[in-house]
Amino acid sequence: MRKGKAGSVVFRADASLQIGNGHVMRCLTLADALKRQGARTVFIGRRQHGDLLDLLGRHGHEVLALPQVTVPVAQSDADALAHASWLGADWQTDAADTLRVIGQEVFDWLVVDHYAIDHRWERLLRRHCRHLMAIDDLADRRHDCDLLLDQNLGRVRDDYASLVPAEATLLLGPAYALLRPEFASLRTLSLSRREVPESAALLVTLGGVDKDNVTADVLKVLASIELPESLRIEVVLGPHAPHLAEVKALAAEIPRPARVFAGDADMAGLMAECDLAIGAAGSTAWERCCLGLPSLQYVLADNQRSIATALERAGAAFTVTAARLPEALKAFLADEGAAERVRCMSSRASALTDGQGVLKVIDRINGSLE
């Protein structure tokens, strides 16, 4: 193998109102770090409502857009993946489209982060990359990869024993979570201010898209219960959130100061300044853990159930539903013993990841080229 750092890396990931933003955003974090080291970085994504291709371009990455497909994805394939519809086309069409935009180029690495892609697609793209990395959360399909990253808590090698080649390297657990550098840089400050817990700021972050408008349900609860007089509320959504106008209207009705951010939030800064979060049990869970931010977590998708269970067992978060939220808010904001509950949860959450996962992954990527 060649020695030195990766010179060219191409990513295949999508964002949409159906998929959400998480896959693209964690790939963007990795791509930004690789670009800072001098790598050429390229993203391949399909045009669809809620895609983030323009954002990727603003970060200085090359973008190769696949056309939007209007024909529904056929579900007759007995081997179809559970999330096959997320690809916006059948896997053969997507592979052909990808091969067409790549042309004759061969990249050092191809990074695939997509629930609708498996070993069949990856095998067709092998001739265009020296190494292939799969980012997965589900362990529900085979991969033809050299390196696999699954950042979920509790994941073990046996989960992928029959799903990846025997020689593949596995990076498992939140120690490898792909977090932006600002989380690691604010970690010490954030943890130090949690030694004496307060109830001054509550963060509500339920996904960039939040297509089911759970944020609105949370704000209705906040407007209906007694809250600490000193509490302020910070609400974060993405720029393509379909229910943004309603969320802003509801935030104005809460009898406490409430701000709504739409794609313009300093997430690390907000998390470091807040004392409790109401958040989804998705990729932002690891951001909250890095900064020791205690969390009341919602399960908003099937792939979040195992994350939520593992975090709750570790004492790093508490799972809520709409019915349980008022009682949980009281327990972590107002009850006797709330401060100790918050302090304990913060300590256990912060032990799960130090925010250096990107550098650890890049070390493995570069090491494969030696």
Side-chain angles (χ1 to χ4, degrees):
M1 296 183 182
R2 300 183 303 106
K3 292 184 178 180
K5 297 179 180 179
S8 59
V9 184
V10 59
F11 294 82
R12 177 68 186 94
D14 282 327
S16 71
L17 295 186
Q18 179 187 23
I19 298 169
N21 298 338
H23 299 272
V24 166
M25 293 306 294
R26 64 185 175 190
C27 285
L28 178 58
T29 297
L30 179 57
D32 284 345
L34 286 164
K35 189 174 180 63
R36 286 192 293 270
Q37 292 193 0
R40 177 188 169 213
T41 49
V42 181
F43 275 86
I44 298 174
R46 191 168 295 281
R47 285 286 182 195
Q48 49 196 320
H49 191 37
D51 68 58
L52 297 177
L53 299 181
D54 292 342
L55 173 66
L56 298 171
R58 291 196 297 272
H59 275 248
H61 307 291
E62 297 176 46
V63 177
L64 302 175
L66 305 182
Q68 189 166 9
V69 177
T70 57
V71 178
V73 179
Q75 297 296 323
S76 58
D77 183 358
D79 296 322
L81 301 177
H83 295 82
S85 64
W86 285 22
L87 204 54
D90 58 61
W91 72 266
Q92 297 96 328
T93 298
D94 192 89
D97 288 344
T98 302
L99 288 168
R100 184 166 53 253
V101 298
I102 285 179
Q104 300 302 311
E105 189 158 4
V106 178
F107 292 84
D108 287 327
W109 281 90
L110 167 59
V111 179
V112 180
D113 188 348
H114 210 301
Y115 290 167
I117 288 176
D118 68 359
H119 66 104
R120 297 169 294 178
W121 187 102
E122 292 159 349
R123 188 174 299 122
L124 288 180
L125 271 294
R126 272 292 195 175
R127 67 180 184 271
H128 288 277
C129 62
R130 297 180 179 90
H131 306 281
L132 194 147
M133 174 181 175
I135 302 177
D136 196 2
D137 305 293
L138 305 178
D140 70 341
R141 61 203 186 282
R142 290 171 57 196
H143 290 287
D144 183 5
C145 63
D146 305 294
L147 182 65
L148 182 136
L149 166 62
D150 185 328
Q151 61 191 20
N152 287 338
L153 181 63
R155 189 65 78 195
V156 296
R157 295 186 64 85
D158 284 351
D159 294 333
Y160 285 98
S162 62
L163 301 178
V164 299
E167 65 274 13
T169 297
L170 301 180
L171 306 180
L172 306 177
Y176 295 102
L178 298 174
L179 307 186
R180 300 190 302 276
E182 54 263 36
F183 289 95
S185 66
L186 286 175
R187 177 175 164 85
T188 299
L189 175 64
S190 182
L191 296 183
S192 65
R193 66 175 296 278
R194 301 185 193 286
E195 294 175 3
V196 182
E198 301 179 23
S199 297
L202 173 67
L203 176 65
V204 180
T205 169
L206 291 155
V209 173
D210 188 15
K211 61 184 177 64
D212 295 323
N213 205 14
V214 180
T215 301
D217 296 335
V218 169
L219 295 185
K220 291 173 184 177
V221 171
L222 292 175
S224 68
I225 64 174
E226 185 174 349
L227 298 170
E229 291 185 3
S230 61
L231 188 70
R232 72 178 191 276
I233 299 165
E234 312 284 11
V235 183
V236 177
L237 288 167
H240 301 297
H243 305 290
L244 181 59
E246 180 183 356
V247 166
K248 287 183 175 180
L250 288 169
E253 298 176 3
I254 299 175
R256 294 292 182 271
R259 294 190 296 177
V260 178
F261 297 87
D264 55 351
D266 170 13
M267 185 63 84
L270 284 175
M271 286 187 178
E273 294 172 359
C274 286
D275 305 289
L276 183 68
I278 300 174
S283 56
T284 56
W286 313 122
E287 298 172 353
R288 300 193 297 267
C289 286
C290 174
L291 297 178
L293 177 58
S295 301
L296 306 179
Q297 61 182 3
Y298 273 78
V299 175
L300 302 182
D302 287 341
N303 64 295
Q304 295 180 1
R305 295 188 187 283
S306 61
I307 299 174
T309 299
L311 285 168
E312 188 160 37
R313 285 175 178 170
F318 182 77
T319 304
V320 296
T321 59
R324 298 180 69 187
L325 183 58
E327 180 183 357
L329 283 167
K330 182 179 179 183
F332 283 89
L333 289 175
D335 273 1
E336 181 179 351
E340 178 58 22
R341 291 188 190 96
V342 166
R343 188 200 62 75
C344 183
M345 183 179 288
S346 174
S347 176
R348 293 181 178 182
S350 65
L352 298 180
T353 182
D354 61 4
Q356 301 290 343
V358 170
L359 297 180
K360 296 169 187 174
V361 172
I362 290 179
D363 281 346
R364 295 301 187 99
I365 287 174
N366 290 335
S368 296
L369 298 175
E370 295 177 356

